[in-house]
Coordinates of all heavy atoms in Angstrom, one line a residue:
P10 N -4.2 -22.2 196.1 CA -4.7 -22.8 197.4 C -3.6 -23.0 198.4 O -2.4 -23.2 198.0 CB -5.3 -24.1 196.9 CG -4.7 -24.3 195.5 CD -4.3 -23.0 195.0
E11 N -3.9 -22.8 199.6 CA -2.9 -23.0 200.7 C -2.5 -24.5 200.7 O -3.4 -25.4 200.6 CB -3.5 -22.6 202.0 CG -3.7 -21.1 202.2 CD -2.4 -20.4 202.3 OE1 -1.5 -20.8 202.9 OE2 -2.4 -19.3 201.7
P12 N -1.2 -24.8 200.9 CA -0.8 -26.2 201.1 C -1.4 -26.7 202.4 O -1.6 -26.0 203.3 CB 0.7 -26.1 201.1 CG 1.0 -24.7 201.4 CD -0.1 -23.9 201.0
L13 N -1.7 -28.0 202.4 CA -2.2 -28.6 203.6 C -1.1 -28.6 204.7 O 0.1 -28.9 204.4 CB -2.6 -30.1 203.3 CG -3.8 -30.3 202.4 CD1 -4.0 -31.8 202.2 CD2 -5.0 -29.6 202.9
G14 N -1.6 -28.3 205.9 CA -0.7 -28.4 207.0 C -0.5 -29.9 207.4 O -1.2 -30.8 206.9
A15 N 0.4 -30.1 208.4 CA 0.7 -31.5 208.8 C -0.5 -32.2 209.3 O -0.8 -33.3 209.0 CB 1.8 -31.5 209.8
L16 N -1.3 -31.5 210.2 CA -2.5 -32.1 210.8 C -3.5 -32.4 209.7 O -4.1 -33.5 209.7 CB -3.1 -31.2 211.8 CG -4.3 -31.7 212.6 CD1 -4.0 -33.0 213.2 CD2 -4.8 -30.7 213.6
E17 N -3.7 -31.5 208.8 CA -4.7 -31.7 207.7 C -4.3 -32.9 206.8 O -5.1 -33.7 206.4 CB -4.9 -30.4 206.9 CG -5.5 -29.3 207.6 CD -5.4 -28.0 206.9 OE1 -4.3 -27.7 206.4 OE2 -6.4 -27.2 207.0
R18 N -3.0 -33.0 206.5 CA -2.5 -34.1 205.7 C -2.7 -35.4 206.4 O -3.1 -36.4 205.8 CB -1.0 -33.9 205.4 CG -0.7 -33.0 204.3 CD 0.7 -33.2 203.8 NE 1.8 -33.1 204.8 CZ 2.3 -31.9 205.2 NH1 1.9 -30.8 204.7 NH2 3.2 -31.9 206.2
L19 N -2.5 -35.4 207.7 CA -2.7 -36.6 208.5 C -4.2 -37.0 208.5 O -4.5 -38.2 208.3 CB -2.2 -36.4 210.0 CG -2.4 -37.6 210.9 CD1 -1.5 -38.8 210.4 CD2 -1.9 -37.2 212.3
E20 N -5.0 -36.1 208.7 CA -6.5 -36.4 208.7 C -6.9 -36.8 207.3 O -7.7 -37.8 207.2 CB -7.3 -35.1 209.1 CG -7.1 -34.8 210.6 CD -7.7 -33.4 210.9 OE1 -8.1 -32.7 210.0 OE2 -7.8 -33.1 212.1
F21 N -6.4 -36.2 206.3 CA -6.7 -36.6 204.9 C -6.3 -38.1 204.7 O -7.0 -38.9 204.1 CB -6.1 -35.7 203.9 CG -6.3 -36.1 202.5 CD1 -7.5 -35.8 201.9 CD2 -5.3 -36.7 201.8 CE1 -7.7 -36.2 200.5 CE2 -5.5 -37.1 200.5 CZ -6.7 -36.8 199.8
E22 N -5.0 -38.4 205.1 CA -4.5 -39.8 204.9 C -5.3 -40.8 205.7 O -5.6 -41.9 205.2 CB -3.0 -39.8 205.3 CG -2.1 -39.2 204.3 CD -2.1 -39.9 203.0 OE1 -2.2 -41.1 202.9 OE2 -2.0 -39.2 202.0
Q23 N -5.7 -40.4 206.9 CA -6.6 -41.3 207.7 C -7.9 -41.6 207.0 O -8.3 -42.7 206.9 CB -6.8 -40.8 209.1 CG -5.6 -40.8 210.0 CD -5.8 -40.0 211.3 OE1 -6.8 -39.3 211.5 NE2 -4.8 -40.0 212.2
E24 N -8.5 -40.5 206.5 CA -9.8 -40.7 205.9 C -9.7 -41.5 204.6 O -10.5 -42.4 204.3 CB -10.4 -39.3 205.6 CG -11.8 -39.4 204.9 CD -12.4 -38.1 204.7 OE1 -12.1 -37.1 205.4 OE2 -13.3 -38.1 203.9
L25 N -8.6 -41.3 203.8 CA -8.4 -42.0 202.6 C -8.2 -43.5 202.9 O -8.8 -44.4 202.2 CB -7.2 -41.4 201.9 CG -6.8 -42.0 200.5 CD1 -8.0 -41.9 199.5 CD2 -5.6 -41.4 200.0
Q26 N -7.4 -43.8 203.9 CA -7.1 -45.2 204.3 C -8.4 -45.9 204.7 O -8.7 -47.0 204.3 CB -6.0 -45.3 205.3 CG -4.7 -44.9 204.9 CD -4.2 -45.9 203.8 OE1 -4.4 -47.1 203.8 NE2 -3.5 -45.3 202.8
L27 N -9.2 -45.2 205.5 CA -10.4 -45.8 206.0 C -11.4 -46.0 204.8 O -12.0 -47.1 204.7 CB -11.1 -44.9 207.0 CG -12.4 -45.4 207.6 CD1 -12.2 -46.7 208.3 CD2 -13.0 -44.4 208.6
R28 N -11.5 -45.1 203.9 CA -12.4 -45.2 202.8 C -11.9 -46.4 201.9 O -12.8 -47.2 201.4 CB -12.4 -44.0 201.9 CG -13.2 -42.9 202.5 CD -13.2 -41.7 201.6 NE -13.9 -40.6 202.2 CZ -15.2 -40.3 202.0 NH1 -15.9 -41.1 201.3 NH2 -15.7 -39.3 202.6
R29 N -10.6 -46.6 201.7 CA -10.2 -47.7 201.0 C -10.5 -49.1 201.7 O -10.9 -50.0 201.0 CB -8.6 -47.7 200.8 CG -8.2 -46.6 199.8 CD -6.7 -46.5 199.7 NE -6.3 -45.6 198.7 CZ -5.1 -45.0 198.7 NH1 -4.2 -45.3 199.6 NH2 -4.8 -44.1 197.8
L30 N -10.3 -49.1 203.0 CA -10.7 -50.3 203.7 C -12.2 -50.6 203.7 O -12.6 -51.7 203.5 CB -10.2 -50.2 205.2 CG -8.7 -50.2 205.4 CD1 -8.4 -49.8 206.8 CD2 -8.2 -51.6 205.1
M31 N -13.0 -49.5 203.8 CA -14.4 -49.7 203.7 C -14.9 -50.2 202.3 O -15.7 -51.1 202.2 CB -15.2 -48.4 204.1 CG -15.0 -48.1 205.6 SD -15.8 -46.5 206.0 CE -17.5 -46.8 205.7
D32 N -14.3 -49.6 201.3 CA -14.6 -50.0 199.9 C -14.3 -51.5 199.7 O -15.0 -52.2 199.1 CB -13.9 -49.2 198.9 CG -14.4 -47.7 198.8 OD1 -15.5 -47.5 199.3 OD2 -13.7 -46.9 198.2
R33 N -13.2 -51.9 200.3 CA -12.7 -53.2 200.1 C -13.5 -54.3 200.9 O -13.7 -55.4 200.5 CB -11.2 -53.3 200.3 CG -10.6 -54.6 200.0 CD -9.1 -54.6 200.1 NE -8.6 -55.9 199.7 CZ -7.3 -56.1 199.6 NH1 -6.4 -55.2 199.8 NH2 -6.9 -57.3 199.2
Y34 N -13.8 -53.9 202.2 CA -14.3 -54.9 203.1 C -15.7 -54.7 203.6 O -16.2 -55.6 204.3 CB -13.3 -55.0 204.3 CG -12.0 -55.5 204.0 CD1 -10.9 -54.6 203.9 CD2 -11.7 -56.8 203.6 CE1 -9.6 -55.0 203.6 CE2 -10.5 -57.3 203.3 CZ -9.4 -56.4 203.2 OH -8.2 -56.8 202.9
S35 N -16.4 -53.7 203.3 CA -17.7 -53.4 203.9 C -18.7 -54.5 203.6 O -19.5 -55.0 204.5 CB -18.2 -52.0 203.6 OG -18.4 -51.9 202.2
A36 N -18.7 -55.0 202.4 CA -19.7 -56.1 202.0 C -19.4 -57.4 202.8 O -20.3 -58.0 203.2 CB -19.6 -56.3 200.5
K37 N -18.1 -57.7 202.9 CA -17.7 -58.9 203.6 C -18.1 -58.8 205.1 O -18.5 -59.7 205.7 CB -16.2 -59.2 203.5 CG -15.8 -59.6 202.1 CD -14.3 -59.8 202.0 CE -13.9 -60.2 200.6 NZ -12.5 -60.4 200.4
V38 N -17.8 -57.6 205.7 CA -18.1 -57.4 207.1 C -19.6 -57.4 207.3 O -20.1 -58.1 208.2 CB -17.6 -56.0 207.6 CG1 -18.1 -55.7 209.0 CG2 -16.0 -56.0 207.6
M39 N -20.4 -56.8 206.4 CA -21.9 -56.8 206.5 C -22.4 -58.3 206.4 O -23.3 -58.7 207.2 CB -22.5 -55.9 205.4 CG -24.0 -55.9 205.4 SD -24.6 -55.2 206.9 CE -26.4 -55.3 206.5
T40 N -21.8 -59.0 205.5 CA -22.3 -60.4 205.3 C -22.0 -61.2 206.6 O -22.9 -62.0 207.0 CB -21.5 -61.1 204.1 OG1 -21.9 -60.3 202.9 CG2 -21.9 -62.5 203.9
R41 N -20.8 -61.0 207.1 CA -20.5 -61.8 208.4 C -21.4 -61.3 209.5 O -21.9 -62.2 210.3 CB -19.0 -61.5 208.7 CG -18.6 -62.3 209.9 CD -18.6 -63.7 209.7 NE -18.0 -64.4 210.9 CZ -18.3 -65.6 211.3 NH1 -19.2 -66.3 210.5 NH2 -17.8 -66.1 212.3
C42 N -21.6 -60.0 209.6 CA -22.5 -59.5 210.7 C -23.9 -60.1 210.5 O -24.6 -60.4 211.5 CB -22.5 -58.0 210.7 SG -20.9 -57.3 211.3
L43 N -24.4 -60.1 209.3 CA -25.7 -60.6 209.0 C -25.9 -62.1 209.4 O -26.9 -62.5 210.0 CB -26.1 -60.4 207.6 CG -27.5 -60.6 207.2 CD1 -28.5 -59.8 208.0 CD2 -27.7 -60.3 205.7
R44 N -24.8 -62.9 209.1 CA -24.8 -64.3 209.5 C -24.9 -64.4 211.0 O -25.5 -65.3 211.5 CB -23.6 -65.0 208.9 CG -23.7 -65.3 207.5 CD -22.5 -66.1 207.0 NE -22.5 -66.2 205.6 CZ -21.4 -66.3 204.9 NH1 -20.2 -66.4 205.4 NH2 -21.5 -66.5 203.5
L45 N -24.1 -63.6 211.7 CA -24.1 -63.7 213.2 C -25.4 -63.2 213.8 O -25.8 -63.8 214.8 CB -22.9 -62.9 213.7 CG -21.5 -63.4 213.4 CD1 -20.4 -62.4 213.8 CD2 -21.3 -64.7 214.1
T46 N -25.9 -62.1 213.3 CA -27.1 -61.5 214.0 C -28.4 -62.0 213.5 O -29.4 -61.9 214.2 CB -27.1 -59.9 213.8 OG1 -27.2 -59.6 212.5 CG2 -25.8 -59.3 214.4
R47 N -28.4 -62.4 212.2 CA -29.7 -62.8 211.5 C -30.7 -61.7 211.5 O -31.9 -62.0 211.4 CB -30.2 -64.1 212.1 CG -29.3 -65.3 212.0 CD -29.9 -66.5 212.5 NE -29.0 -67.6 212.7 CZ -28.4 -68.4 211.7 NH1 -28.7 -68.1 210.5 NH2 -27.6 -69.3 212.0
D48 N -30.3 -60.5 211.6 CA -31.2 -59.3 211.5 C -30.5 -58.2 210.7 O -29.3 -57.8 211.1 CB -31.5 -58.8 212.9 CG -32.4 -57.6 212.9 OD1 -33.6 -57.9 212.9 OD2 -31.9 -56.5 213.0
W49 N -31.1 -57.7 209.7 CA -30.5 -56.7 208.8 C -30.1 -55.5 209.6 O -29.0 -55.0 209.4 CB -31.5 -56.3 207.7 CG -30.9 -55.4 206.7 CD1 -31.0 -54.0 206.7 CD2 -30.0 -55.8 205.6 NE1 -30.2 -53.5 205.6 CE2 -29.6 -54.6 205.0 CE3 -29.5 -57.0 205.1 CZ2 -28.8 -54.6 203.8 CZ3 -28.7 -56.9 204.0 CH2 -28.4 -55.8 203.4
H50 N -31.0 -54.9 210.4 CA -30.6 -53.7 211.1 C -29.5 -53.9 212.1 O -28.6 -53.0 212.3 CB -31.9 -53.1 211.8 CG -32.9 -52.7 210.8 ND1 -32.8 -51.6 210.0 CD2 -34.1 -53.3 210.5 CE1 -33.9 -51.5 209.2 NE2 -34.7 -52.5 209.5
D51 N -29.5 -55.0 212.8 CA -28.4 -55.3 213.8 C -27.1 -55.4 213.0 O -26.1 -55.0 213.5 CB -28.8 -56.5 214.6 CG -29.9 -56.3 215.6 OD1 -30.2 -55.1 215.9 OD2 -30.4 -57.3 216.1
A52 N -27.2 -56.1 211.9 CA -26.0 -56.3 211.1 C -25.4 -54.9 210.6 O -24.2 -54.7 210.6 CB -26.3 -57.2 209.9
E53 N -26.3 -54.0 210.2 CA -25.9 -52.7 209.8 C -25.2 -52.0 210.9 O -24.2 -51.4 210.7 CB -27.1 -51.9 209.3 CG -27.6 -52.2 207.9 CD -28.7 -51.4 207.4 OE1 -29.6 -51.0 208.3 OE2 -28.8 -51.0 206.3
D54 N -25.8 -52.1 212.1 CA -25.2 -51.4 213.3 C -23.9 -52.0 213.6 O -22.9 -51.3 213.9 CB -26.2 -51.6 214.5 CG -27.4 -50.7 214.4 OD1 -27.5 -49.8 213.5 OD2 -28.4 -51.0 215.1
A55 N -23.8 -53.3 213.5 CA -22.5 -54.0 213.9 C -21.4 -53.6 212.8 O -20.3 -53.4 213.2 CB -22.7 -55.5 213.9
T56 N -21.8 -53.5 211.6 CA -20.9 -53.2 210.5 C -20.4 -51.7 210.8 O -19.2 -51.5 210.7 CB -21.5 -53.3 209.1 OG1 -21.9 -54.6 208.9 CG2 -20.6 -52.8 208.0
Q57 N -21.3 -50.8 211.1 CA -20.9 -49.5 211.3 C -20.0 -49.4 212.5 O -19.0 -48.7 212.5 CB -22.1 -48.6 211.6 CG -21.8 -47.2 211.9 CD -23.1 -46.3 212.1 OE1 -24.2 -46.8 212.0 NE2 -22.8 -45.0 212.3
Q58 N -20.3 -50.1 213.6 CA -19.4 -50.1 214.8 C -18.1 -50.7 214.5 O -17.1 -50.2 215.1 CB -20.1 -50.8 215.9 CG -21.3 -50.1 216.5 CD -20.9 -48.7 217.0 OE1 -19.9 -48.5 217.7 NE2 -21.7 -47.7 216.7
T59 N -18.0 -51.7 213.6 CA -16.7 -52.2 213.2 C -15.8 -51.2 212.6 O -14.7 -51.0 212.9 CB -16.9 -53.4 212.3 OG1 -17.7 -54.4 212.9 CG2 -15.6 -54.0 211.8
F60 N -16.4 -50.4 211.7 CA -15.6 -49.4 211.0 C -15.4 -48.1 211.9 O -14.3 -47.5 211.7 CB -16.2 -49.0 209.7 CG -16.0 -50.1 208.6 CD1 -17.0 -51.0 208.3 CD2 -14.8 -50.2 208.0 CE1 -16.8 -52.0 207.4 CE2 -14.5 -51.3 207.1 CZ -15.6 -52.1 206.8
V61 N -16.2 -47.9 212.8 CA -15.9 -46.8 213.8 C -14.7 -47.2 214.6 O -13.8 -46.4 214.8 CB -17.1 -46.5 214.7 CG1 -16.7 -45.7 215.9 CG2 -18.2 -45.8 213.9
A62 N -14.7 -48.5 215.1 CA -13.6 -48.9 215.9 C -12.3 -49.0 215.0 O -11.2 -48.6 215.5 CB -13.9 -50.3 216.4
L63 N -12.4 -49.4 213.8 CA -11.3 -49.4 212.9 C -10.7 -48.0 212.7 O -9.5 -47.7 212.7 CB -11.7 -50.0 211.6 CG -10.6 -50.1 210.5 CD1 -9.4 -50.9 211.0 CD2 -11.1 -50.7 209.2
S64 N -11.6 -47.0 212.5 CA -11.2 -45.6 212.3 C -10.4 -45.1 213.5 O -9.4 -44.5 213.4 CB -12.5 -44.8 212.1 OG -12.2 -43.4 212.1
R65 N -10.9 -45.5 214.7 CA -10.2 -45.0 215.9 C -8.8 -45.7 216.0 O -7.8 -45.0 216.3 CB -11.0 -45.4 217.2 CG -12.2 -44.5 217.3 CD -13.0 -44.9 218.6 NE -14.2 -44.0 218.6 CZ -15.3 -44.5 219.1 NH1 -15.5 -45.7 219.5 NH2 -16.4 -43.7 219.1
R66 N -8.7 -46.9 215.7 CA -7.4 -47.6 215.7 C -6.5 -47.1 214.6 O -5.3 -46.9 214.9 CB -7.6 -49.1 215.5 CG -8.3 -49.8 216.6 CD -7.4 -50.8 217.3 NE -8.0 -51.3 218.4 CZ -7.9 -52.6 218.8 NH1 -7.2 -53.4 218.0 NH2 -8.4 -53.0 219.9
L67 N -7.0 -46.8 213.5 CA -6.2 -46.2 212.4 C -5.7 -44.9 212.8 O -4.5 -44.6 212.6 CB -7.1 -46.1 211.1 CG -6.4 -45.6 209.9 CD1 -5.2 -46.5 209.5 CD2 -7.3 -45.5 208.7
A68 N -6.5 -44.0 213.5 CA -6.1 -42.7 213.9 C -4.9 -42.9 215.0 O -3.9 -42.2 214.9 CB -7.2 -42.0 214.5
E69 N -5.1 -43.9 215.9 CA -4.0 -44.1 216.9 C -2.7 -44.6 216.2 O -1.7 -44.1 216.6 CB -4.5 -45.2 217.9 CG -5.6 -44.7 218.8 CD -6.2 -45.8 219.6 OE1 -5.6 -47.0 219.6 OE2 -7.2 -45.6 220.3

Side-chain angles (χ1 to χ4, degrees):
E11 291 290 320
L13 293 177
L16 182 58
E17 291 166 321
R18 277 195 307 274
L19 180 62
E20 290 171 351
F21 177 79
E22 286 296 322
Q23 289 171 353
E24 184 175 335
L25 183 61
Q26 290 298 323
L27 182 60
R28 285 180 184 268
R29 286 179 179 158
L30 290 169
M31 289 176 67
D32 288 346
R33 185 169 184 178
Y34 295 107
S35 61
K37 290 179 183 181
V38 172
M39 178 65 178
T40 299
R41 181 66 176 153
C42 290
L43 191 55
R44 285 184 186 152
L45 292 170
T46 65
R47 300 188 192 280
D48 179 86
W49 185 264
H50 297 290
D51 288 344
E53 285 181 322
D54 290 344
T56 299
Q57 181 178 2
Q58 289 303 314
T59 299
F60 285 103
V61 166
L63 179 61
S64 174
R65 289 182 181 140
R66 292 246 173 139
L67 184 60
E69 290 172 7

